[in-house]
Amino acid sequence: MTTVPEVAVRAVRTSVLEDPRPLLELLPEDDALAWVRHGEGLVGWGCAARVELSGEAPFAEAAAWWRAVVAGAEVVDELAPAGLPGTGLVAFGSFAFDRGTSVLVVPEVVVGRSGGRTWVTTVDGAPLDAPATPVRVPQRLELVDRSAGRYTAAVADAVARIRSGELAKVVLARDVEARLDAPVDVRWPLQRLADGYPGCWTFAVEGLVGATPEMLVRLRDGRASSRVLAGTLRRTGDAARDARMSDAFGRSIKDLEEHGYGVRSVVEALAPHCSEVDVPSSPFVLDLPNVLHLATDVTGVVRDGSTSLDLLASLHPSAAVCGAPTPLARAVIRDIEGLDRGRYAGPVGWLDARGDGEWGIALRCAEVDADDPSRLRLFAGCGLVEGSSPEAELAESDAKLLAMRTALAPPA
């Protein structure tokens, strides 16, 4: 059980900001926080309040801490009548996949943009302007991969367990170490991810940086939505061939089976909180620069007053990042994966004073080594079902690692 620190009363003010610069260009090198898609979203810096959480059920403790922050804050929100997402008091957060450390941070300054409107929120009169320093560009990137052999062996073990009937699906992850010539300036990979993957949610929270295509839950005005991704195909670079592959991909029995487990787990988690849950009859193919995914958007009308943190407690971990049945899959992951995932594959995003927010799954990401910020761990995971093969899953994980490898690399 985490001891939740007391939070001082704080003055919070949101006002219109006339600044046309891209959000990521506003960030300082230190304490950068980000949640951006298609040029809109939130960025922040500084630390007005912060809590670390540990254990297997951090969401209730996070919610208690957040209620204390909200209760003690005096908020003046000039944009409240507009109903824009992310005005007023906001916290960024990143949660561990399993047993690690989770964190919520209230920035001193948040700049948001939605529908072409830009605003700034400051806490306790913090100055708006962050130190304007040039982005430090890496000159050398070295990748150290010690996981490939271990990963294929773990995949073979997991598939054997699935074929024996022990479980239906499990997601196994691997990591690769990236070594730079100097401490990483997270603004460098952030900008490259945002440029290369504009349809993903590009994020940075306390040393975790990435661009996720998967929205675990968005809650706004009582309506919840979740984008489920499960089933992946590596692009070939040949547009005509990729188009043919995409058409066949949507009919792949193996990939549809894997995808179905993910959708069902989200529906079952949302159903107790919602008066209705809508699920499309079939997935669509999400086309990204490096891979294709099977995707389904699930929506529901929340009837029990749950906040986004409450919904996270029910949703995480979904079958898309853990497996099915979830308790058995988690036990298998602990037994054979041989990896401390940290905050990889955990929820990452933000919430506001009402409890609304957006929480993705921390995929296509890297975590900075706190002791040596010139080193990072890059993560990728694959969902395994009866038809999976170690060689194919290793190749799929390589495709998923490509986003962060490219984002960290020196300019061509």
Side-chain angles (χ1 to χ4, degrees):
M1 176 69 70
T2 302
T3 301
V4 178
E6 295 183 3
V7 182
V9 175
R10 300 189 180 278
V12 180
R13 186 176 190 88
T14 298
S15 55
V16 173
L17 179 65
E18 300 295 342
D19 193 329
R21 288 179 294 171
L23 291 176
L24 293 177
E25 290 186 8
L26 302 175
L27 285 171
E29 179 179 351
D30 298 326
D31 301 324
L33 298 155
W35 180 261
V36 175
R37 181 173 183 258
H38 288 310
E40 298 195 337
L42 303 170
V43 296
W45 56 89
C47 180
R50 180 182 182 278
V51 65
E52 285 190 0
L53 306 151
S54 59
E56 297 184 26
F59 302 109
E61 294 175 64
W65 181 83
W66 185 236
R67 285 193 298 270
V69 174
V70 171
E74 299 177 359
V75 180
V76 177
D77 184 355
E78 297 175 5
L79 279 81
L84 298 171
T87 68
L89 186 63
V90 166
F92 288 75
S94 176
F95 288 87
F97 172 78
D98 194 1
R99 296 166 168 167
T101 299
S102 305
V103 63
L104 282 175
V105 182
V106 179
E108 292 180 321
V109 179
V110 174
V111 179
R113 182 168 294 145
S114 178
R117 302 189 68 177
T118 305
W119 64 90
V120 60
T121 301
T122 57
V123 177
D124 285 350
L128 168 59
D129 293 330
T133 57
V135 175
R136 189 172 58 256
V137 178
Q139 301 301 309
R140 186 182 72 254
L141 169 65
E142 177 188 2
L143 295 172
V144 180
D145 182 4
R146 301 185 181 93
S147 66
R150 183 178 70 244
Y151 186 68
T152 53
V155 170
D157 187 348
V159 172
R161 295 179 187 225
I162 292 169
R163 289 174 178 166
S164 74
E166 183 177 337
L167 73 169
K169 172 187 174 180
V170 65
V171 180
L172 291 184
R174 58 185 283 235
D175 64 347
V176 172
E177 184 181 353
R179 300 175 180 175
L180 302 177
D181 58 295
V184 65
D185 182 340
V186 297
R187 297 174 299 175
W188 171 250
L190 274 178
Q191 188 61 65
R192 301 189 84 187
L193 289 167
D195 290 344
Y197 300 84
C200 294
W201 289 270
T202 299
F203 61 86
V205 179
E206 293 221 343
L208 187 72
V209 57
T212 180
E214 190 155 359
M215 175 65 72
L216 182 56
V217 66
R218 174 192 288 117
L219 179 62
R220 186 175 179 188
D221 298 329
R223 192 161 192 85
S225 60
S226 178
R227 171 164 290 183
V228 182
L229 304 184
T232 303
L233 192 65
R234 186 170 190 168
R235 298 179 65 90
T236 67
D238 182 321
R241 184 180 178 188
D242 286 346
R244 293 192 298 270
M245 289 169 47
S246 175
D247 184 59
F249 184 41
R251 301 190 300 272
S252 163
I253 294 174
K254 180 259 185 187
D255 291 295
L256 287 171
E257 177 189 11
E258 179 188 343
H259 188 77
Y261 290 122
V263 172
R264 282 193 292 275
S265 73
V266 168
V267 171
E268 291 170 359
L270 286 178
H273 303 283
C274 296
S275 57
E276 57 184 79
V277 178
D278 296 324
V279 186
S281 59
S282 60
F284 65 93
V285 177
L286 180 65
D287 191 342
L288 296 177
N290 57 331
V291 294
L292 305 172
H293 288 297
L294 290 182
T296 295
D297 290 332
V298 178
T299 59
V301 178
V302 176
R303 58 173 169 77
D304 63 356
S306 291
T307 67
S308 62
L309 289 175
D310 297 327
L311 297 178
L312 288 183
S314 296
L315 285 162
H316 180 73
S318 74
V321 293
C322 184
T326 299
L328 293 178
R330 192 191 298 224
V332 170
I333 290 169
R334 291 172 176 172
D335 185 28
I336 69 173
E337 188 174 72
L339 173 69
D340 176 8
R341 292 190 181 187
R343 292 176 287 156
Y344 164 72
V348 60
W350 63 271
L351 80 162
D352 66 15
R354 296 190 303 172
D356 287 359
E358 294 184 333
W359 296 93
I361 300 177
L363 305 174
R364 313 298 194 274
C365 65
E367 190 160 14
V368 181
D369 186 326
D371 296 322
D372 181 359
S374 67
R375 299 192 177 197
L376 304 90
R377 284 201 302 157
L378 284 57
F379 298 92
C382 300
L384 311 178
V385 292
E386 187 173 352
S388 300
S389 75
E391 295 77 15
E393 302 305 328
L394 181 64
E396 180 181 319
S397 69
D398 283 336
K400 291 175 176 178
L401 287 166
L402 182 62
M404 280 307 309
R405 288 175 56 183
T406 303
L408 289 168

